[in-house]
Amino acid sequence: MTRGIFIAGNETALGRAVEAEAEKRVERYAVASIPNRYSGASKNPSLNNEKRIMLDWNPSSPISARALVLAAENRLNYINEAVLVCSPPSVRSSASGLPLADIEIMANEYIKGWFFLVRELAAVFSGRKSGILALVYPAIENMSTGMKDDSADILGPSSLAAFRALAHGLLAAAHNEPYITVGFSCAEVNAEEAFAAFIFKHLDEAPAAGKSGNKRSNGRLFKYGKFNLFK
């Protein structure tokens, strides 16, 4: 049985590295992207290959989250592994100069959106009593700090901190769920490809489709870094 891999996140080097690993393993996989709509956010090129099923997602809408999960299930037949990749863009501004539109985007798409999507994925996995929910993020301290005289990046680390708190809460509650929840954090910069390979090494070794059996990985946070390569 082939694996149904669903990936969600914004278009970043880390997201593309995760997709590249998925592409090595399956004939097709589904992707939902958060558009980089922050003011001044760099636009990263999207991947374009025959294996990639691109799905529409409005992260600020709970209805869209439900429709997205249903669409992924329809196109893949099922979702075995949902890999949520949080790597928000950097938006540098003084506190007094923060664009109101950017604050709305951060709250609606990079915080609320993850809660909506996790809720729908958890409902599917709970009903099926199987599945793997993987939560992926870089270390907050590794987000670019810029030059000394640059304005601070307030929004990016704040949204990442919210995702990390969500991940830790889900990992703490994992033993109560009939599916597997795992987290992956990277402590190194510019190591996206190696980190993505590390993630899928652990997903490859997880019980098939996250079903009952060897669940030693359930609830664990795997840290990738110079001193954590084998954890």
Side-chain angles (χ1 to χ4, degrees):
M1 182 176 68
T2 187
R3 294 157 65 175
I5 299 177
F6 168 70
I7 301 168
N10 53 312
E11 295 277 4
T12 61
L14 177 55
R16 292 192 296 274
V18 168
E19 285 196 46
E21 290 296 323
E23 185 180 356
K24 296 175 184 177
R25 290 165 169 81
V26 293
E27 294 182 357
R28 58 181 182 169
Y29 62 92
V31 178
S33 292
I34 302 173
N36 285 358
R37 298 196 294 125
Y38 280 142
S39 60
S42 60
K43 302 299 181 180
N44 294 301
S46 298
L47 292 176
N48 185 18
N49 62 62
E50 295 180 354
K51 293 186 175 184
R52 190 184 208 236
I53 301 171
M54 195 68 202
L55 301 175
D56 293 330
W57 180 30
N58 176 6
S60 64
S61 167
I63 296 175
S64 179
R66 179 170 298 180
L68 170 62
V69 173
L70 289 173
E73 289 261 280
N74 287 336
R75 297 295 299 275
L76 296 171
N77 296 324
Y78 45 78
I79 300 173
N80 288 126
E81 302 159 37
V83 185
L84 311 188
V85 184
C86 180
S87 183
S90 174
V91 182
R92 300 191 178 280
S93 172
S94 64
S96 62
L98 277 173
L100 296 179
D102 287 354
I103 296 173
E104 288 283 348
I105 291 168
M106 184 272 285
N108 289 329
E109 299 188 358
Y110 288 86
I111 296 180
K112 288 167 58 177
W114 291 121
F115 283 86
F116 293 149
L117 183 56
V118 164
R119 180 185 185 276
E120 297 304 325
L121 290 168
V124 168
F125 289 162
S126 294
R128 189 185 300 143
K129 300 189 184 305
S130 69
I132 300 174
L133 178 63
L135 305 147
V136 179
Y137 58 91
I140 291 177
E141 54 270 22
N142 285 345
M143 295 190 72
S144 176
T145 57
M147 302 298 291
K148 181 178 180 180
D149 295 332
D150 286 347
S151 296
D153 178 12
I154 299 173
L155 295 180
S158 297
S159 56
L160 180 55
F163 183 87
R164 185 171 68 171
L166 170 62
H168 285 203
L170 293 170
L171 294 173
H175 66 282
N176 293 322
E177 303 292 350
Y179 56 88
I180 290 175
T181 305
V182 287
F184 297 93
S185 176
C186 182
E188 292 189 9
V189 296
N190 301 321
E192 290 86 1
E193 292 182 4
F195 181 35
F198 172 83
I199 292 167
F200 273 89
K201 173 183 178 295
H202 285 285
L203 294 181
D204 292 344
E205 296 171 353
K211 294 183 178 180
S212 59
N214 179 7
K215 288 194 175 184
R216 288 181 299 173
S217 63
N218 194 27
R220 288 191 61 185
L221 174 62
F222 296 94
K223 298 181 180 181
Y224 177 84
K226 190 175 297 182
F227 302 106
N228 298 293
L229 292 178
F230 303 105
K231 290 187 178 181

